């Protein structure tokens, strides 16, 4: 849709041109920004003109630029031992979006929108990714993606802060992952998305779409069914919208969590 309040669109090529003025917001793929009214928005600052490389590899870290599109991430050739890589495609398919949207939508934009069904958030939380946030003073800070997303459309981002990248430890990419998703209709938005990762160092379970913010359960061993039940029962903040009721979301998420726990236990992960 036309954003009729927008008066300026800036295309920075360097960080020192990035400073956001009052009324300005970052523009990435625009697939969410242009999908609804944006009260108070008077200017856009296009992050894609900064020329950040989509990904950078080092022995310990895969750095994914916030502006990397979902399509570009899917095209990346994984290292031979990245057993977790199928989770990228699974999470891309969890979005209620076609390949046409994947070509514009960015990984950072998906996290920054802060929707419960943000499947890139699920992917990054499951892989223990750390967000690199550029501060307006010219510095940067790092925090786990699981802590960056605080609630529905709510992020731990101060005024003028921009997500620069996500750092994924390659150790996490070498782990085994699991995935379960359900929606109320065949092409509906995710009602619950439960992902997990396990290896000799531990077991991580992440619930998104069913909760306002990512729910992360972490254990140094594969938890027992009773421990998992207790962890899920202790959580009392289940999301309520037309894509599912809180009771249903709790029930399907708990079932999926047990299925993934069983997969990890039978594979002998982190026992
Ligand atoms: C058909 C369709 C289906 C969709 N299905 C889903 C779905 O199932 N789940 C879901 O979560 N979303 C969905 N979306 C919404 C959207 O497409 C995705 O969330 C997408 O990943 C947003 O990325 P973008 O690059 O287009 O962000 P934009 O629209 O450019 O930006 C989104 C918001 O994030 C801010 N922002 C962007 N990048 C940064 C950054 N680096 N630092 C700080 N702030 C930033 C922007 O200012 C804006 O407020 C769908 C959209 C469409 C059109």
């Amino acid at each position: 849709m036309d954003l009729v309040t927008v008066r300026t669109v800036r295309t920075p090529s360097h960080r020192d041109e990035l400073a956001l003025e009052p009324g300005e917001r970052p523009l990435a793929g625009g697939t969410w920004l242009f999908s609804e009214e944006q009260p108070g928005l008077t200017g856009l600052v296009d992050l894609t003109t900064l020329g950040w490389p989509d990904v950078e590899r080092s022995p310990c870290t895969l750095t994914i630029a916030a502006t990397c599109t979902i399509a570009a991430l899917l095209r990346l050739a994984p290292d031979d031992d990245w057993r977790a890589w199928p989770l990228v495609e699974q999470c891309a398919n969890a979005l209620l979006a076609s390949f046409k949207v994947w070509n514009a939508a960015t990984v950072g934009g998906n996290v920054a929108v802060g929707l419960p069904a943000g499947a890139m958030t699920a992917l990054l939380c499951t892989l223990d990714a750390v967000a690199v946030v550029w501060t307006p003073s010219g510095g940067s800070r790092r925090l786990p993606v699981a802590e960056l997303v605080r609630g529905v459309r709510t992020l731990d981002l101060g005024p003028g802060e921009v997500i620069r990248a996500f750092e994924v430890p390659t150790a996490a990419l070498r782990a085994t992952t699991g995935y379960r998703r359900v929606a109320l209709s065949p092409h509906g938005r995710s009602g619950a998305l439960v992902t997990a990762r396990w290896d000799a160092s531990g077991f991580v379970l992440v619930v998104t779409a069913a909760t306002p913010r990512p729910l992360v359960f972490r254990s140094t061993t594969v938890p027992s069914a009773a421990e998992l039940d207790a962890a899920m029962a202790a959580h009392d903040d289940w999301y309520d919208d037309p894509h599912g009721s809180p009771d249903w979301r709790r029930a399907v998420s708990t079932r999926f969590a047990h299925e993934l726990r069983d997969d990890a236990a039978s594979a002998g992960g982190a026992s």
Side-chain angles (χ1 to χ4, degrees), residues 20 24-35 38 41 44-45 47-48 52 65-70 92 94-98 101 104-121 153 155 157 161-166 181 188-190:
L20 298 174
E24 282 187 330
R25 264 201 267 164
L27 167 66
T31 61
W32 179 81
L33 260 177
F34 290 101
S35 72
Q38 304 293 344
L41 180 69
L44 293 170
V45 180
L47 301 181
T48 64
W52 298 336
T67 48
C68 178
T69 62
I70 293 168
L95 296 170
L96 176 62
S98 70
V101 176
T106 65
V107 176
N110 187 249
V111 173
V113 180
L115 297 177
M120 292 298 110
T121 302
R153 308 275 348 276
L155 269 79
L157 277 186
E161 288 192 328
V162 167
I163 306 168
R164 166 62 184 85
F166 303 100
R181 172 186 184 267
R189 183 171 282 183
S190 302

Side-chain angles (χ1 to χ4, degrees), residues 65-66 100 126 151 196 209 231 249:
K100 287 184 284 188
T126 310
R249 283 177 145 133

